[in-house]
PDB file of all heavy atoms in Angstrom:
ATOM      1  N   LEU A  37      -4.564  -7.920   0.454  1.00 98.00           N
ATOM      2  CA  LEU A  37      -5.387  -9.097   0.113  1.00 98.00           C
ATOM      3  C   LEU A  37      -6.685  -8.618  -0.586  1.00 98.00           C
ATOM      4  O   LEU A  37      -7.249  -7.601  -0.203  1.00 98.00           O
ATOM      5  CB  LEU A  37      -5.799  -9.824   1.393  1.00 98.00           C
ATOM      6  CG  LEU A  37      -4.805 -10.835   1.983  1.00 98.00           C
ATOM      7  CD1 LEU A  37      -5.394 -11.422   3.267  1.00 98.00           C
ATOM      8  CD2 LEU A  37      -4.464 -11.942   1.007  1.00 98.00           C
ATOM      9  N   LEU A  38      -7.089  -9.401  -1.592  1.00 99.00           N
ATOM     10  CA  LEU A  38      -8.321  -9.074  -2.304  1.00 99.00           C
ATOM     11  C   LEU A  38      -9.401 -10.074  -1.961  1.00 99.00           C
ATOM     12  O   LEU A  38      -9.117 -11.258  -1.716  1.00 99.00           O
ATOM     13  CB  LEU A  38      -8.035  -9.085  -3.833  1.00 99.00           C
ATOM     14  CG  LEU A  38      -6.913  -8.196  -4.322  1.00 99.00           C
ATOM     15  CD1 LEU A  38      -6.761  -8.302  -5.824  1.00 99.00           C
ATOM     16  CD2 LEU A  38      -7.108  -6.735  -3.889  1.00 99.00           C
ATOM     17  N   ASN A  39     -10.648  -9.604  -1.962  1.00 99.00           N
ATOM     18  CA  ASN A  39     -11.769 -10.494  -1.645  1.00 99.00           C
ATOM     19  C   ASN A  39     -12.107 -11.411  -2.829  1.00 99.00           C
ATOM     20  O   ASN A  39     -11.807 -11.066  -3.976  1.00 99.00           O
ATOM     21  CB  ASN A  39     -12.989  -9.668  -1.251  1.00 99.00           C
ATOM     22  CG  ASN A  39     -14.110 -10.535  -0.721  1.00 99.00           C
ATOM     23  OD1 ASN A  39     -13.840 -11.518   0.002  1.00 99.00           O
ATOM     24  ND2 ASN A  39     -15.343 -10.208  -0.983  1.00 99.00           N
ATOM     25  N   ASP A  40     -12.659 -12.549  -2.541  1.00 98.00           N
ATOM     26  CA  ASP A  40     -13.305 -13.391  -3.550  1.00 98.00           C
ATOM     27  C   ASP A  40     -14.421 -14.132  -2.838  1.00 98.00           C
ATOM     28  O   ASP A  40     -14.580 -14.023  -1.609  1.00 98.00           O
ATOM     29  CB  ASP A  40     -12.282 -14.368  -4.130  1.00 98.00           C
ATOM     30  CG  ASP A  40     -11.776 -15.362  -3.148  1.00 98.00           C
ATOM     31  OD1 ASP A  40     -12.542 -16.299  -2.769  1.00 98.00           O
ATOM     32  OD2 ASP A  40     -10.604 -15.232  -2.671  1.00 98.00           O
ATOM     33  N   ASP A  41     -15.242 -14.863  -3.610  1.00 98.00           N
ATOM     34  CA  ASP A  41     -16.435 -15.505  -3.015  1.00 98.00           C
ATOM     35  C   ASP A  41     -16.174 -16.905  -2.467  1.00 98.00           C
ATOM     36  O   ASP A  41     -17.075 -17.531  -1.929  1.00 98.00           O
ATOM     37  CB  ASP A  41     -17.564 -15.584  -4.061  1.00 98.00           C
ATOM     38  CG  ASP A  41     -18.118 -14.208  -4.414  1.00 98.00           C
ATOM     39  OD1 ASP A  41     -17.924 -13.269  -3.601  1.00 98.00           O
ATOM     40  OD2 ASP A  41     -18.701 -14.090  -5.507  1.00 98.00           O
ATOM     41  N   MET A  45     -13.138 -18.012   5.111  1.00 98.00           N
ATOM     42  CA  MET A  45     -12.697 -16.942   6.047  1.00 98.00           C
ATOM     43  C   MET A  45     -11.590 -17.466   6.971  1.00 98.00           C
ATOM     44  O   MET A  45     -10.614 -16.739   7.227  1.00 98.00           O
ATOM     45  CB  MET A  45     -13.918 -16.486   6.899  1.00 98.00           C
ATOM     46  CG  MET A  45     -14.912 -15.696   6.099  1.00 98.00           C
ATOM     47  SD  MET A  45     -16.209 -15.043   7.177  1.00 98.00           S
ATOM     48  CE  MET A  45     -17.133 -14.035   6.019  1.00 98.00           C
ATOM     49  N   VAL A  48      -8.169 -17.393   5.375  1.00 99.00           N
ATOM     50  CA  VAL A  48      -7.590 -16.032   5.297  1.00 99.00           C
ATOM     51  C   VAL A  48      -7.055 -15.589   6.675  1.00 99.00           C
ATOM     52  O   VAL A  48      -5.980 -15.016   6.765  1.00 99.00           O
ATOM     53  CB  VAL A  48      -8.633 -15.029   4.751  1.00 99.00           C
ATOM     54  CG1 VAL A  48      -8.087 -13.613   4.690  1.00 99.00           C
ATOM     55  CG2 VAL A  48      -9.112 -15.463   3.365  1.00 99.00           C
ATOM     56  N   GLU A  61      -7.132 -11.823  16.755  1.00 98.00           N
ATOM     57  CA  GLU A  61      -8.149 -10.741  16.723  1.00 98.00           C
ATOM     58  C   GLU A  61      -7.887  -9.787  15.547  1.00 98.00           C
ATOM     59  O   GLU A  61      -8.799  -9.455  14.774  1.00 98.00           O
ATOM     60  CB  GLU A  61      -8.158  -9.937  18.043  1.00 98.00           C
ATOM     61  CG  GLU A  61      -8.665 -10.722  19.253  1.00 98.00           C
ATOM     62  CD  GLU A  61      -7.745 -11.884  19.676  1.00 98.00           C
ATOM     63  OE1 GLU A  61      -6.509 -11.728  19.529  1.00 98.00           O
ATOM     64  OE2 GLU A  61      -8.248 -12.888  20.140  1.00 98.00           O
ATOM     65  N   THR A  62      -6.640  -9.339  15.447  1.00 98.00           N
ATOM     66  CA  THR A  62      -6.285  -8.439  14.344  1.00 98.00           C
ATOM     67  C   THR A  62      -6.495  -9.114  12.978  1.00 98.00           C
ATOM     68  O   THR A  62      -7.026  -8.488  12.028  1.00 98.00           O
ATOM     69  CB  THR A  62      -4.803  -7.984  14.491  1.00 98.00           C
ATOM     70  OG1 THR A  62      -4.637  -7.444  15.799  1.00 98.00           O
ATOM     71  CG2 THR A  62      -4.461  -6.941  13.463  1.00 98.00           C
ATOM     72  N   ALA A  63      -6.093 -10.370  12.903  1.00 99.00           N
ATOM     73  CA  ALA A  63      -6.267 -11.131  11.642  1.00 99.00           C
ATOM     74  C   ALA A  63      -7.722 -11.202  11.273  1.00 99.00           C
ATOM     75  O   ALA A  63      -8.096 -11.022  10.088  1.00 99.00           O
ATOM     76  CB  ALA A  63      -5.657 -12.539  11.779  1.00 99.00           C
ATOM     77  N   THR A  64      -8.597 -11.447  12.236  1.00 99.00           N
ATOM     78  CA  THR A  64     -10.024 -11.563  11.971  1.00 99.00           C
ATOM     79  C   THR A  64     -10.599 -10.211  11.507  1.00 99.00           C
ATOM     80  O   THR A  64     -11.392 -10.164  10.558  1.00 99.00           O
ATOM     81  CB  THR A  64     -10.788 -12.025  13.259  1.00 99.00           C
ATOM     82  OG1 THR A  64     -10.216 -13.288  13.657  1.00 99.00           O
ATOM     83  CG2 THR A  64     -12.258 -12.191  12.985  1.00 99.00           C
ATOM     84  N   GLN A  65     -10.132  -9.130  12.135  1.00 98.00           N
ATOM     85  CA  GLN A  65     -10.596  -7.785  11.716  1.00 98.00           C
ATOM     86  C   GLN A  65     -10.190  -7.464  10.294  1.00 98.00           C
ATOM     87  O   GLN A  65     -10.975  -6.929   9.499  1.00 98.00           O
ATOM     88  CB  GLN A  65     -10.031  -6.718  12.649  1.00 98.00           C
ATOM     89  CG  GLN A  65     -10.763  -6.644  13.996  1.00 98.00           C
ATOM     90  CD  GLN A  65     -10.032  -5.797  14.998  1.00 98.00           C
ATOM     91  OE1 GLN A  65      -9.113  -5.041  14.646  1.00 98.00           O
ATOM     92  NE2 GLN A  65     -10.439  -5.890  16.265  1.00 98.00           N
ATOM     93  N   ILE A  66      -8.930  -7.784   9.950  1.00 98.00           N
ATOM     94  CA  ILE A  66      -8.460  -7.504   8.563  1.00 98.00           C
ATOM     95  C   ILE A  66      -9.237  -8.341   7.563  1.00 98.00           C
ATOM     96  O   ILE A  66      -9.671  -7.859   6.515  1.00 98.00           O
ATOM     97  CB  ILE A  66      -6.947  -7.739   8.464  1.00 98.00           C
ATOM     98  CG1 ILE A  66      -6.147  -6.763   9.355  1.00 98.00           C
ATOM     99  CG2 ILE A  66      -6.493  -7.653   7.006  1.00 98.00           C
ATOM    100  CD1 ILE A  66      -4.651  -7.045   9.450  1.00 98.00           C
ATOM    101  N   MET A  67      -9.427  -9.648   7.878  1.00 98.00           N
ATOM    102  CA  MET A  67     -10.170 -10.530   6.983  1.00 98.00           C
ATOM    103  C   MET A  67     -11.590  -9.977   6.719  1.00 98.00           C
ATOM    104  O   MET A  67     -12.065  -9.954   5.588  1.00 98.00           O
ATOM    105  CB  MET A  67     -10.228 -11.933   7.578  1.00 98.00           C
ATOM    106  CG  MET A  67     -10.965 -12.964   6.758  1.00 98.00           C
ATOM    107  SD  MET A  67     -12.759 -12.885   6.895  1.00 98.00           S
ATOM    108  CE  MET A  67     -12.958 -13.400   8.618  1.00 98.00           C
ATOM    109  N   LEU A  68     -12.260  -9.532   7.845  1.00 99.00           N
ATOM    110  CA  LEU A  68     -13.628  -9.020   7.693  1.00 99.00           C
ATOM    111  C   LEU A  68     -13.638  -7.701   6.874  1.00 99.00           C
ATOM    112  O   LEU A  68     -14.633  -7.461   6.138  1.00 99.00           O
ATOM    113  CB  LEU A  68     -14.270  -8.804   9.071  1.00 99.00           C
ATOM    114  CG  LEU A  68     -14.650 -10.097   9.805  1.00 99.00           C
ATOM    115  CD1 LEU A  68     -15.098  -9.829  11.225  1.00 99.00           C
ATOM    116  CD2 LEU A  68     -15.757 -10.864   9.045  1.00 99.00           C
ATOM    117  N   LYS A  69     -12.620  -6.917   7.034  1.00 98.00           N
ATOM    118  CA  LYS A  69     -12.514  -5.658   6.240  1.00 98.00           C
ATOM    119  C   LYS A  69     -12.407  -6.019   4.749  1.00 98.00           C
ATOM    120  O   LYS A  69     -13.056  -5.405   3.894  1.00 98.00           O
ATOM    121  CB  LYS A  69     -11.323  -4.822   6.688  1.00 98.00           C
ATOM    122  CG  LYS A  69     -11.319  -3.429   6.089  1.00 98.00           C
ATOM    123  CD  LYS A  69      -9.902  -2.955   5.799  1.00 98.00           C
ATOM    124  CE  LYS A  69      -9.864  -1.562   5.204  1.00 98.00           C
ATOM    125  NZ  LYS A  69     -10.554  -1.392   3.925  1.00 98.00           N
ATOM    126  N   VAL A  70     -11.567  -6.996   4.421  1.00 98.00           N
ATOM    127  CA  VAL A  70     -11.420  -7.430   3.019  1.00 98.00           C
ATOM    128  C   VAL A  70     -12.763  -7.959   2.511  1.00 98.00           C
ATOM    129  O   VAL A  70     -13.199  -7.617   1.396  1.00 98.00           O
ATOM    130  CB  VAL A  70     -10.336  -8.515   2.907  1.00 98.00           C
ATOM    131  CG1 VAL A  70     -10.210  -9.009   1.464  1.00 98.00           C
ATOM    132  CG2 VAL A  70      -8.996  -7.963   3.361  1.00 98.00           C
ATOM    133  N   HIS A  71     -13.411  -8.760   3.333  1.00 98.00           N
ATOM    134  CA  HIS A  71     -14.719  -9.356   2.965  1.00 98.00           C
ATOM    135  C   HIS A  71     -15.732  -8.272   2.672  1.00 98.00           C
ATOM    136  O   HIS A  71     -16.505  -8.366   1.717  1.00 98.00           O
ATOM    137  CB  HIS A  71     -15.167 -10.264   4.132  1.00 98.00           C
ATOM    138  CG  HIS A  71     -16.468 -10.910   3.877  1.00 98.00           C
ATOM    139  ND1 HIS A  71     -16.657 -11.900   2.949  1.00 98.00           N
ATOM    140  CD2 HIS A  71     -17.669 -10.744   4.491  1.00 98.00           C
ATOM    141  CE1 HIS A  71     -17.918 -12.334   2.970  1.00 98.00           C
ATOM    142  NE2 HIS A  71     -18.534 -11.641   3.893  1.00 98.00           N
ATOM    143  N   ARG A  72     -15.728  -7.209   3.503  1.00 98.00           N
ATOM    144  CA  ARG A  72     -16.710  -6.101   3.352  1.00 98.00           C
ATOM    145  C   ARG A  72     -16.344  -5.129   2.217  1.00 98.00           C
ATOM    146  O   ARG A  72     -17.204  -4.729   1.436  1.00 98.00           O
ATOM    147  CB  ARG A  72     -16.752  -5.285   4.674  1.00 98.00           C
ATOM    148  CG  ARG A  72     -17.960  -5.502   5.493  1.00 98.00           C
ATOM    149  CD  ARG A  72     -17.990  -4.498   6.670  1.00 98.00           C
ATOM    150  NE  ARG A  72     -17.220  -4.933   7.799  1.00 98.00           N
ATOM    151  CZ  ARG A  72     -16.110  -4.328   8.219  1.00 98.00           C
ATOM    152  NH1 ARG A  72     -15.627  -3.277   7.629  1.00 98.00           N
ATOM    153  NH2 ARG A  72     -15.445  -4.832   9.259  1.00 98.00           N
ATOM    154  N   ASP A  73     -15.065  -4.728   2.198  1.00 98.00           N
ATOM    155  CA  ASP A  73     -14.648  -3.587   1.330  1.00 98.00           C
ATOM    156  C   ASP A  73     -13.985  -4.055   0.034  1.00 98.00           C
ATOM    157  O   ASP A  73     -13.701  -3.200  -0.821  1.00 98.00           O
ATOM    158  CB  ASP A  73     -13.663  -2.694   2.083  1.00 98.00           C
ATOM    159  CG  ASP A  73     -14.279  -2.128   3.366  1.00 98.00           C
ATOM    160  OD1 ASP A  73     -15.504  -2.226   3.523  1.00 98.00           O
ATOM    161  OD2 ASP A  73     -13.536  -1.580   4.184  1.00 98.00           O
ATOM    162  N   GLY A  74     -13.644  -5.314  -0.070  1.00 98.00           N
ATOM    163  CA  GLY A  74     -13.030  -5.782  -1.315  1.00 98.00           C
ATOM    164  C   GLY A  74     -11.508  -5.915  -1.242  1.00 98.00           C
ATOM    165  O   GLY A  74     -10.943  -6.674  -2.025  1.00 98.00           O
ATOM    166  N   LYS A  75     -10.875  -5.189  -0.356  1.00 98.00           N
ATOM    167  CA  LYS A  75      -9.435  -5.298  -0.192  1.00 98.00           C
ATOM    168  C   LYS A  75      -9.030  -4.846   1.207  1.00 98.00           C
ATOM    169  O   LYS A  75      -9.806  -4.148   1.896  1.00 98.00           O
ATOM    170  CB  LYS A  75      -8.669  -4.509  -1.246  1.00 98.00           C
ATOM    171  CG  LYS A  75      -9.056  -3.064  -1.327  1.00 98.00           C
ATOM    172  CD  LYS A  75      -8.007  -2.108  -1.842  1.00 98.00           C
ATOM    173  CE  LYS A  75      -7.495  -2.305  -3.213  1.00 98.00           C
ATOM    174  NZ  LYS A  75      -6.532  -1.252  -3.615  1.00 98.00           N
ATOM    175  N   GLY A  76      -7.832  -5.216   1.587  1.00 98.00           N
ATOM    176  CA  GLY A  76      -7.357  -4.808   2.933  1.00 98.00           C
ATOM    177  C   GLY A  76      -5.860  -5.018   3.036  1.00 98.00           C
ATOM    178  O   GLY A  76      -5.278  -5.904   2.407  1.00 98.00           O
TER     179      GLY A  76
END
Side-chain angles (χ1 to χ4, degrees):
L37 276 178
L38 305 181
N39 190 36
D40 66 73
D41 292 339
M45 290 185 174
V48 178
E61 291 69 32
T62 306
T64 302
Q65 283 170 13
I66 295 172
M67 180 281 292
L68 287 173
K69 191 216 181 298
V70 177
H71 180 68
R72 254 189 276 113
D73 301 347
K75 56 153 61 176

